[in-house]
Amino acid sequence: MACQGLSCFYITGHGIEKSLMENLLKCGNNFFNLPKDVKTSISLKKSQAYRGYILQGSEVTANRIDNKEGIYFGPEPTDDQDVAAISPMMGANQFPDEKALPGFKALVETYMERMSVVGHAIMKGLALSLELTEDFFHDIFNPAFPLLALWHYPPVPAVLDSWGVGPHTDYGVLTLLMQDDVGGLQIETESGKWIDVPPIPGTLVVNIGDVVEAWTKGKFHATMHRVKNSPSKHRISAPFFFQPRLDCEIRPINDGTSAESGVNFPLNKPFAFGEYVLKKFQKSYGISKGIS
């Protein structure tokens, strides 16, 4: 199965129209071309739910400052939901003014809705590969907690050896990545060699996250990956993080699995996903509580 070994694979036939994919990348590019003060007016640090713009140089991965900027979107609570009772991670998105980027909000919401369908389909396949019933993960992802990010990696002269983001694994379940034609994504093989994951038009790259490694006790390993800045081109990517309910508890699916997970605490014991993801964002963006 594709989740074993490299734990990274391409998918086609996902049902997402080429026009929708191209329009999202185009709108992302238009957003990042806005003046800095316009982008920072919807800064992630103004949102208790960690939604909004991330200034270039404000993240550190593998002890190096990331050379990228981005913006996060997620599910919004319905009118009858008590947000405080669900999780601090639930809240309103921040979008640029409609006059600045007409249709941007609608495009993001449509893409997230369509990608969630793809995420559910992949989870059915994952369940069957683990000899579980097809709908095993249904309740765990009902409702799901998907996040969409748009990232901009600016060009950096090759002599500076700059990385858009250093080696890391994603903390969630699935990352479904749409990338433009610039390239730069690399994954680490089992032998420790880094190989390119070049863009293939119309495909999505799927990376396995830490939660799957915890569920399978290491049978499926989270994908170690990194992104190299191009020396001459701007790179835009759109990772879609398909994640379970915030209140679900993550524990090994089958205690009889013989493989041992190599992931760090708290992934080697049961943990609440909502608390886990909140701590990840707090560590990444330096916001322990409230608005900063």
Side-chain angles (χ1 to χ4, degrees), residues 52-207:
Y53 175 68
I54 303 157
L55 187 67
Q56 183 176 336
S58 61
E59 280 189 274
V60 175
T61 305
N63 298 316
R64 297 182 68 170
I65 296 175
D66 295 349
N67 204 335
K68 71 181 193 300
E69 61 179 330
I71 186 168
Y72 266 115
F73 308 99
E76 296 197 343
T78 59
D79 293 338
D80 60 345
Q81 287 179 316
D82 182 353
V83 177
I86 299 174
S87 169
M89 292 297 297
M90 283 296 291
N93 289 309
Q94 296 190 90
F95 289 98
D97 187 272
E98 185 70 14
K99 294 180 180 179
L101 287 179
F104 183 71
K105 179 177 184 290
L107 182 63
V108 166
E109 292 175 341
T110 297
Y111 187 77
M112 291 189 66
E113 182 179 346
R114 297 288 300 281
M115 288 295 290
S116 291
V117 174
V118 179
H120 280 292
I122 294 176
M123 292 311 301
K124 289 182 179 180
L126 181 64
L128 292 175
S129 75
L130 293 170
E131 300 182 347
L132 304 168
T133 61
E134 182 182 82
D135 61 352
F136 180 87
F137 292 108
H138 179 269
D139 290 345
I140 298 174
F141 285 83
N142 186 26
F145 182 69
L147 292 174
L148 172 66
L150 292 170
W151 296 118
H152 167 227
Y153 299 85
V156 177
V159 294
L160 296 181
D161 190 33
S162 174
W163 290 88
V165 59
H168 69 287
T169 58
D170 292 335
Y171 59 81
V173 176
L174 299 175
T175 301
L176 286 72
L177 174 71
M178 174 174 53
Q179 52 181 338
D180 64 11
D181 60 359
V182 174
L185 174 65
Q186 296 182 335
I187 61 171
E188 186 179 28
T189 67
E190 291 180 289
S191 65
K193 179 182 178 181
W194 288 94
I195 60 174
D196 293 329
V197 185
I200 299 178
T203 68
L204 296 168
V205 176
V206 181
N207 284 338

Side-chain angles (χ1 to χ4, degrees), residues 29 211 231 245 256:
N29 184 65
V211 168
R245 293 193 336 259

